[in-house]
Amino acid sequence: MIRLSSPRSRERALFTGLALVTAAALALTGGVSAADAAPAGPEIPPSTTASSVAFTPTDADALPVVDSEIGRGGRLAQDPSTIVPLGAGVVDATSALIRVSVLSPAVDLTVYATGAPAIHAAAGISQSSTLLVPVAGDGVALYADAPADVRIEVLATFGTDTTTPGATTALQQPVTRAETAAGLAGSVFGTSPIAVGLVGAGDVPSLDVRAVYVTVDVQVSEATILRLDGQHIPIGQGRTVVTTLVTPDEAGQTLASLDSGSGSLRLDVRGWVRDTASNVDRANVEGGFVPANRPRVELPHSVDVTDAAPTPIDLDPHADAVYTVALVTASAPGGTTMLDLGAPYRGRARGMVVDGSGGGEAQLMLVLLHDGTAEATLRRGSAEITIIPLGDFLGGVVQEPASETPGITVDSHHDGERVDLGTNGSTRLGGVITTPGASVDHVEISGPDGPIGNAELTSGKDERLTWAYDVASPEDGLQHYVATVVDRAGHRSDAGVRLDMEPVEKTDTVIAPEVKVPSVSSPGGLPTIVGGTEYVFPGDPGVIPGDIIAAGDSAGTPEGAFARVLSVDRVGDEWRVKAEVADLADVFRQADVYSTPSLDQTDPAAIDESMRGEPTSPEGDPIEVLPGGFPTTDIVTGSDVSLPDYPQTSDEPLDIPGLDDPSVADPDDYGLPPESSGVRPAERAAVVADDPDYTTAYSTKLNLKVSYKNGFKPWVEDITKTSASPDAELQSWAKERSHSGEKGLAISNETQAAVDLTFRLKSHMTWRWGVIPTGVVIDELTVKLHSKVTNKGSVKLFASSTTTFQSSVKLGSISLPNAVVPVGPVPIVITNSIELAFRISLKFAASATIPYGMTREDTYGFTYSDAAGVKSLASHPSPTILPFTALQLGDTTLQVNVELSPGAEVGLKSKIYGITGPEFSLSAQLAGKLALTTPPNLAWGRLSVGADLVFELSGKLKVEMLSKVFADVELFKIPLGKVPLFSQTVPLWGDPPKPTATAVPSSA
C-alpha cells in the first residue's frame, strides 16, 4: 500500500467511496439486474492476487541519509565489504530505490553497489544515479575504488512480495548478462543490435517478468547514442555507466546497439518487476509498477528549463498513477546545480546532480505527480533536459471519463481461419492493448459457452502492451472467441474472432506447442550437455524461456535431453541454454504408447573396462593376487546364450518376508500400504508371467587357482586369459596339489545375465475451451526391467584340515543400448545399464569336486499414475537350482565337509533421459552345506545336502519429471538374509544296511 497525502489522492479516495455507496444503494433498490450482478463464472477460475504491494516513497523534503560534504556521514569507503546505513526507514524493507551522488572527485573513480559498477565519475565532475538495491539490515553494500564525497538519498522502499503483479524486487547480487569483452551476448558491439537476455538467471524468474532494472557500462571512442529497449541514451567519449529500467520481450531479451562507432558493453541486472500470468484476477494493483506502453522508439522529448521558474513537463502517465519513473538527461547549466521533477518547492535544493561542465548523465528519477502532471525545477542556470517516461507506480482505483476507454485487438488469427488442434491441442490468441486512461485491470477471454479465463500481458519488443491466451475447442466447426479488456476505472472494450476449429481426436498424439525437438538440420544444430541441465548449441537454437527442449540421444546428449529453458545467452560463437528438468505432463498432453524395445547390445565398446576387478575379501582377509588376466565380460548371442531353468527349486514357496506378498508391506513396495484384499495387483501379477526369449546375454568367466603356500594367506591366480583349456588345467592342477598334501581349491565360474525392458506412457486431457495448466492427467507411466541371471560352475577342493576362503570380484559394467521410444515428434530416451559381480564364500575340509548352478529371474521397476501414485513392480520368485552332488577329485578318496555360497550380484539402472527411473542391486548366493557319510569299509556313501538362498536387495526410484510426486521415493534396503530352500540326502554309491527289527516281548 502507498502512503499518500496529495489532494489528488484524497479526491480519488472520496470519489471511490461515493462510488461504492452508490453501487450498494443500487443493489438494494434493484437498480442492477441479476444478470449483470452475477455473471457466470469463468471455465478456469482466476487465482486471487493481493490488492496492493508495499511501495513506500520517501517524503520529498526528507534529508539525505548521507551527505559527507557537510559532515552528515563519511566519505565512501574503498572496502568492498562496506555497508552504508540507510536509516530507520528501510528496516522493514527488502529493497530500496536510492540516489547516489558523487561530488567532485579528485580522480576518475567507479562506485560499486552490491559488487557491480553503478557510477563512473571523471575527475572533477559530479555525477548521480538512481539504483535499485537490496537492503542488508538497515544498509546497502556500497564502495568506491577511490575516496569520494557522496550524497545518498532513499527515494522509496519495497516489501517482501514477489508474486503480485507490479511487485519490485532487488537482486542480492547483480547478474551479468552482457560483457562483449568476454564474448557474452556478442563479441562486437556497434551499430548492429545484439540481443541481451534479462530473465532466468540469478534470482530473476524465467517467466512473468514485467520490467528489469539494469546497469549498462559502455566504453566508446567517440560520443554516440546507446539504443537500449527503444531508449535513446547519450553516451560520452570514454566510459559511461547508466542505470535504467527495461522491459523484456517475449523471448526474455532486449536489444542494444550504438548509433555510430563501436565499443564494449557490460549489462548487469539489478532487480525485476513481477508480470501477469494467465488466469490471474487482476493485472495491476495499488503500489505496483506498470511500464509506459507508448512507443519509445520515437525520439524522447526535450524541454528547456531555467532557474527563473519551474517548467511544466508532459509525462503522459496512466490515469491511476501517483508516481512516474523517467530517464532524464541534462545539458551543462554553467554551474553545478540540482534538477528536480515533481511538485514546485522552496528551500534546500534536491534532485539529481547536474555538473556545471559535464551536465547530468542519464539517470532514473522518481517523479511525484500532482493532478497527473509534474514540473521541472533547476536551481541554477539553464539547461536542456531530455525525458523518457518509463512507467508508473499506481495508486488506488480511479474513475475517468468514458472517452478514455482502453482499446484491444485480435491480431493472431484472421476471421474464419481453419485451426487443426490435433498436433498441439490449442492455439494462442493474441493482440495489442492501448490504455489512454487507467492501467489494465484484466483481459478476460470468452468462448461459445461463456468466460474461459484471463489472459497474460506482456510489454513487447516494440514497447506495445500485448495480450495472449491459449484456447481449445471440444467441438468441430466455427467458434467465436472474444477478448475483453477492463481497465482499473471499470471501462471495457472487446474484440473477437471466429475460428473454424478441428478438435483433438482420441487417437491423436498431442504435444504442447512450446516443445522444441532439435535435429541435425535445425538452425541451432544439436545440443551438447555441459553440466547438470545446461546445454551448448553451435548456432541460435531458436528457443525462449519457457520452451521445452526434447532431444534424442546423440554424441552431445548421450542420454537425450528433456528440459525447460530458463535463460539463453550467446557466448562467443555458441549459445548457452540454462534449463531445469521438465515435467512429463507439460509435454505429453495426450499420448498412448507401449513399447518393449530391444536391449541387445552388440558393441563390445559398451563394456566398461574400468569396472573389472581383482579378487578381494569382503571381510578384509589378506589375499595375494598373482599377475594374470582377471575377468572380462563378453557379449554372447544365439546358441552361446545359456540361461537354463534347472530342475530343482525350493521345497516351499520362497519366503523372503513379505517381499512378494501383496497383503504385507515391505521395503520394495516404496512405503505404499499393502493391498487389503491380499490379492496381487494386476500390474504385479503380470510381471511374474514374463518369459522373454533371450537371444543376447552378457557372460563373464572366472578360472581361479587358490593355494595356501605360506601360512593361511591364499594366493590367487586367474588363468582364464592365459590358458588354452582352463577346465583341464584346473583339474590337473588340483589333482597334483592334492596328492602332494597341499591345501587349496580351484574355482571355475560363468555368470550370464540378460535383461529386457517394458515402457508404457499414457496421458490424457479433458478438452474444453481453455487449456487448464494442470489439466493433463498421467494415466500410466511404467518402466519395468526383467532380468534372468545364471551362475554356474564348480569348485575343486583339497584340504585335510578346515580351510576358509571368501572373495568378491567385479566382473564388468555394460551400457545397454538406449531405448528410444517416439511419442509423436518427441523421442523418449531410456538409458539402461547392468553391472555384474561374483561372490563366493567357502569353509571346507574335503577332497572333492562340487558342481553348482542357479538361475534367477527377477522383475524390477515401477508404475505411476496421478490417481494411484507410485507402485512397485518388484517380483523375486524362487530360483531354480542344479541338484548338489559331490564328485571324486581325480583318483583321490572322496571327502566332503563343505559349506559354500557362490552367487552373482546384479545392478540394474533404467532412466528416462537419464533422470527418472529405478536403480536396483540384487545379491543372491546359493548357500550349500554338504557332508559325506560313509562306513569304514566305504561300502556305501550318502551326501547330506542343505541349501539356502542368501540375499540382499536394495533399490531407489528417482522421480524428477512428475510434478505430483514432490520428492524421490526414498531408498529401500532389505539387509542380508537367509531363506531355506531345501534339505535332502543324496545316495552316491552302494546301499546302507537296513535297520534290524527288534523283537517286542509279548504281554503274556
Side-chain angles (χ1 to χ4, degrees):
M1 183 172 291
I2 311 174
R3 297 179 298 171
L4 297 173
S5 58
S6 69
R8 179 69 168 178
S9 66
R10 290 195 294 272
E11 291 170 7
R12 288 175 174 170
L14 177 61
F15 192 97
T16 302
L18 290 172
L20 291 172
V21 171
T22 303
L26 286 170
L28 290 172
T29 60
V32 179
S33 69
D36 292 336
E43 180 180 284
I44 305 174
S47 58
T48 303
T49 60
S51 60
S52 64
V53 294
F55 163 64
T56 306
T58 303
D59 191 294
D61 293 325
L63 294 174
V65 293
V66 175
D67 196 342
S68 63
E69 275 194 331
I70 61 173
R72 186 178 178 85
R75 306 181 87 192
L76 203 55
Q78 295 172 261
D79 182 358
S81 64
T82 301
I83 302 295
V84 177
L86 296 179
V90 304
V91 171
D92 295 327
T94 58
S95 307
L97 205 58
I98 66 172
R99 179 161 49 224
V100 179
S101 303
V102 179
L103 308 174
S104 301
V107 297
D108 292 358
L109 62 78
T110 301
V111 175
Y112 295 84
T114 55
I119 300 173
H120 177 71
I125 303 296
S126 297
Q127 294 288 357
S128 59
S129 186
T130 296
L131 311 170
L132 180 66
V133 295
V135 174
D138 66 344
V140 61
L142 278 175
Y143 76 98
D145 57 10
D149 280 313
V150 292
R151 182 184 299 120
I152 302 174
E153 306 158 82
V154 177
L155 305 181
T157 60
F158 304 93
T160 58
D161 189 345
T162 62
T163 60
T164 302
T168 299
T169 303
L171 299 183
Q172 294 299 313
Q173 185 69 39
V175 56
T176 302
R177 298 304 301 271
E179 192 165 12
T180 56
L184 180 58
S187 301
V188 177
F189 184 52
T191 57
S192 296
I194 62 172
V196 181
L198 299 174
V199 304
D203 291 325
V204 182
S206 58
L207 300 173
D208 303 329
V209 177
R210 174 174 290 180
V212 174
Y213 286 82
V214 300
T215 298
V216 291
D217 187 342
V218 180
Q219 297 194 54
V220 291
S221 57
E222 60 182 38
T224 185
I225 298 293
L226 168 67
R227 294 180 181 266
L228 181 69
D229 190 38
Q231 302 170 32
H232 294 198
I233 303 173
I235 300 294
Q237 182 183 13
R239 184 181 180 195
T240 304
V241 179
V242 175
T243 295
T244 186
L245 191 58
V246 299
T247 53
D249 62 18
E250 63 276 8
Q253 301 175 329
T254 192
L255 297 178
S257 64
L258 298 173
D259 269 10
S260 61
S262 62
S264 65
L265 169 72
R266 169 175 170 161
L267 183 146
D268 294 306
V269 173
R270 292 192 171 274
W272 59 284
V273 179
R274 173 65 71 180
D275 206 359
T276 309
S278 294
N279 303 310
V280 174
D281 64 344
R282 62 187 104 192
N284 292 296
V285 300
E286 183 179 359
F289 176 82
V290 57
N293 60 353
R294 288 81 176 166
R296 297 182 203 143
V297 293
E298 299 174 1
L299 289 174
H301 62 275
S302 299
V303 178
D304 292 327
V305 296
T306 70
D307 55 8
T311 303
I313 55 174
D314 181 16
L315 297 172
D316 193 20
H318 290 89
D320 49 342
V322 289
Y323 280 83
T324 284
V325 177
L327 189 70
V328 181
T329 308
S331 64
T336 300
T337 185
M338 302 182 77
L339 170 70
D340 185 61
L341 271 62
Y345 71 98
R346 296 180 181 274
R348 181 185 61 84
R350 65 193 190 204
M352 63 180 278
V353 172
V354 184
D355 189 81
S357 59
E361 288 187 348
Q363 58 197 276
L364 295 175
M365 294 195 74
L366 182 64
V367 183
L368 173 64
L369 300 172
H370 178 70
D371 289 334
T373 65
E375 295 181 306
T377 302
L378 188 68
R379 293 304 293 264
R380 180 185 304 169
S382 62
E384 180 185 47
I385 65 172
T386 302
I387 304 166
I388 307 175
L390 301 180
D392 305 318
F393 286 99
L394 303 178
V397 175
V398 299
Q399 201 75 0
E400 295 294 337
S403 61
E404 296 184 338
T405 296
I408 189 167
T409 65
V410 179
D411 304 327
S412 55
H413 299 74
H414 60 77
D415 222 39
E417 183 176 336
R418 180 68 169 170
V419 179
D420 184 355
L421 300 176
T423 300
N424 301 127
S426 64
T427 187
R428 173 156 287 200
L429 301 181
V432 178
I433 300 169
T434 55
T435 53
S439 61
V440 174
D441 183 78
H442 66 279
V443 174
E444 59 189 44
I445 309 300
S446 300
D449 290 344
I452 302 173
N454 288 350
E456 65 178 79
L457 307 182
T458 304
S459 292
K461 63 183 179 181
D462 55 0
E463 313 313 321
R464 299 181 303 170
L465 181 63
T466 60
W467 66 273
Y469 197 77
D470 293 331
V471 296
S473 176
E475 300 175 8
D476 191 22
L478 205 62
Q479 313 296 343
H480 189 205
Y481 300 88
V482 177
T484 302
V485 58
V486 182
D487 70 13
R488 295 183 74 227
H491 301 140
R492 309 165 67 93
S493 64
D494 57 45
V497 65
R498 287 174 172 81
L499 300 178
D500 188 6
M501 303 293 261
E502 183 178 347
V504 173
E505 301 288 345
K506 288 185 178 180
T507 56
D508 288 336
T509 296
V510 183
I511 306 299
E514 58 267 27
V515 176
K516 311 298 181 186
V517 182
S519 66
V520 176
S521 59
S522 301
L526 291 174
T528 297
I529 189 167
V530 293
T533 49
E534 183 175 355
Y535 301 89
V536 170
F537 286 81
D540 185 351
V543 297
I544 65 175
D547 282 350
I548 295 174
I549 298 172
D553 54 344
S554 65
T557 54
E559 297 178 339
F562 193 76
R564 182 178 290 279
V565 176
L566 298 176
S567 65
V568 182
D569 289 292
R570 183 174 180 175
V571 182
D573 294 329
E574 298 176 334
W575 274 257
R576 287 187 172 256
V577 176
K578 292 183 179 178
E580 63 184 2
V581 175
D583 193 300
L584 289 174
D586 290 339
V587 173
F588 303 105
R589 291 181 169 181
Q590 181 172 291
D592 190 352
V593 59
Y594 175 87
S595 179
T596 55
S598 171
L599 297 185
D600 291 350
Q601 180 60 270
T602 59
D603 183 5
I607 300 172
D608 184 358
E609 300 280 344
S610 65
M611 277 297 297
R612 298 176 182 173
E614 297 181 346
T616 58
S617 169
E619 302 299 327
D621 297 334
I623 293 178
E624 183 73 25
V625 180
L626 300 179
F630 288 102
T632 57
T633 300
D634 297 314
I635 299 168
V636 294
T637 59
S639 60
D640 291 330
V641 175
S642 178
L643 298 166
D645 293 320
Y646 290 112
Q648 192 162 15
T649 185
S650 58
D651 293 336
E652 300 292 336
L654 185 63
D655 184 25
I656 301 176
L659 193 60
D660 291 311
D661 185 346
S663 65
V664 179
D666 62 78
D668 78 339
D669 287 329
Y670 306 121
L672 296 166
E675 301 288 331
S676 58
S677 65
V679 178
R680 185 185 304 279
E683 65 267 24
R684 294 186 64 176
V687 301
V688 178
D690 283 357
D691 187 17
D693 182 14
Y694 293 109
T695 58
T696 299
Y698 310 99
S699 170
T700 297
K701 294 180 180 179
L702 279 175
N703 293 278
L704 302 181
K705 296 177 180 178
V706 182
S707 59
Y708 293 76
K709 296 181 178 179
N710 298 314
F712 297 98
K713 180 172 68 173
W715 292 54
V716 180
E717 180 184 7
D718 182 18
I719 64 169
T720 305
K721 287 185 175 181
T722 59
S723 175
S725 180
D727 287 339
E729 183 173 333
L730 289 181
Q731 175 73 16
S732 174
W733 176 84
K735 179 181 176 181
E736 178 184 339
R737 290 293 190 272
S738 65
H739 281 301
S740 64
E742 297 181 25
K743 62 179 180 179
L745 66 148
I747 302 172
S748 178
N749 183 85
E750 181 182 7
T751 300
Q752 282 200 15
V755 184
D756 76 297
L757 170 71
T758 299
F759 174 81
R760 176 82 191 275
L761 173 64
K762 184 178 182 182
S763 63
H764 80 274
M765 189 171 188
T766 300
W767 299 106
R768 300 180 180 176
W769 300 107
V771 179
I772 301 174
T774 58
V776 176
V777 176
I778 301 295
D779 299 301
E780 182 182 352
L781 173 65
T782 295
V783 178
K784 182 180 69 177
L785 289 167
H786 185 88
S787 69
K788 190 169 187 180
V789 180
T790 292
N791 200 69
K792 57 187 175 182
S794 66
V795 290
K796 297 172 174 50
L797 308 170
F798 48 95
S800 57
S801 59
T802 300
T803 303
T804 61
F805 176 78
Q806 53 184 352
S807 179
S808 177
V809 186
K810 292 180 179 179
L811 301 180
S813 173
I814 306 100
S815 296
L816 303 180
N818 286 349
V820 181
V821 182
V823 183
V826 177
I828 292 184
V829 180
I830 306 172
T831 60
N832 307 278
S833 65
I834 182 170
E835 295 178 0
L836 299 173
F838 172 69
R839 290 184 182 182
I840 190 167
S841 177
L842 285 159
K843 182 178 180 181
F844 62 97
S847 175
T849 296
I850 311 294
Y852 60 83
M854 180 175 72
T855 296
R856 288 194 55 81
E857 290 194 67
D858 297 278
T859 300
Y860 316 85
F862 74 99
T863 185
Y864 167 86
S865 71
D866 286 346
V870 179
K871 287 189 176 183
S872 169
L873 297 181
S875 175
H876 311 283
S878 178
T880 62
I881 301 160
L882 178 70
F884 273 118
T885 188
L887 305 176
Q888 191 174 0
L889 179 59
D891 55 0
T892 61
T893 301
L894 184 66
Q895 300 177 46
V896 183
N897 189 355
V898 177
E899 296 179 17
L900 81 162
S901 299
E905 180 177 319
V906 181
L908 290 170
K909 295 180 183 179
S910 186
K911 300 290 186 69
I912 304 173
Y913 296 107
I915 301 169
T916 288
E919 297 181 17
F920 288 94
S921 176
L922 172 66
S923 171
Q925 292 173 270
L926 177 62
K929 190 172 184 179
L930 296 86
L932 177 65
T933 302
T934 62
N937 62 2
L938 302 179
W940 54 267
R942 294 290 183 269
L943 188 67
S944 299
V945 178
D948 301 324
L949 178 68
V950 180
F951 67 91
E952 186 173 9
L953 174 67
S954 65
K956 59 183 177 180
L957 176 63
K958 202 168 185 64
V959 287
E960 287 189 32
M961 298 159 65
L962 299 169
S963 60
K964 294 187 173 112
V965 181
F966 296 102
D968 294 348
V969 176
E970 66 182 48
L971 176 73
F972 69 79
K973 185 170 185 178
I974 299 173
L976 195 66
K978 182 182 289 188
V979 177
L981 294 177
F982 56 83
S983 179
Q984 61 193 43
T985 300
V986 180
L988 296 183
W989 71 87
D991 294 316
K994 295 182 179 180
T996 303
T998 303
V1000 179
S1002 67
S1003 58

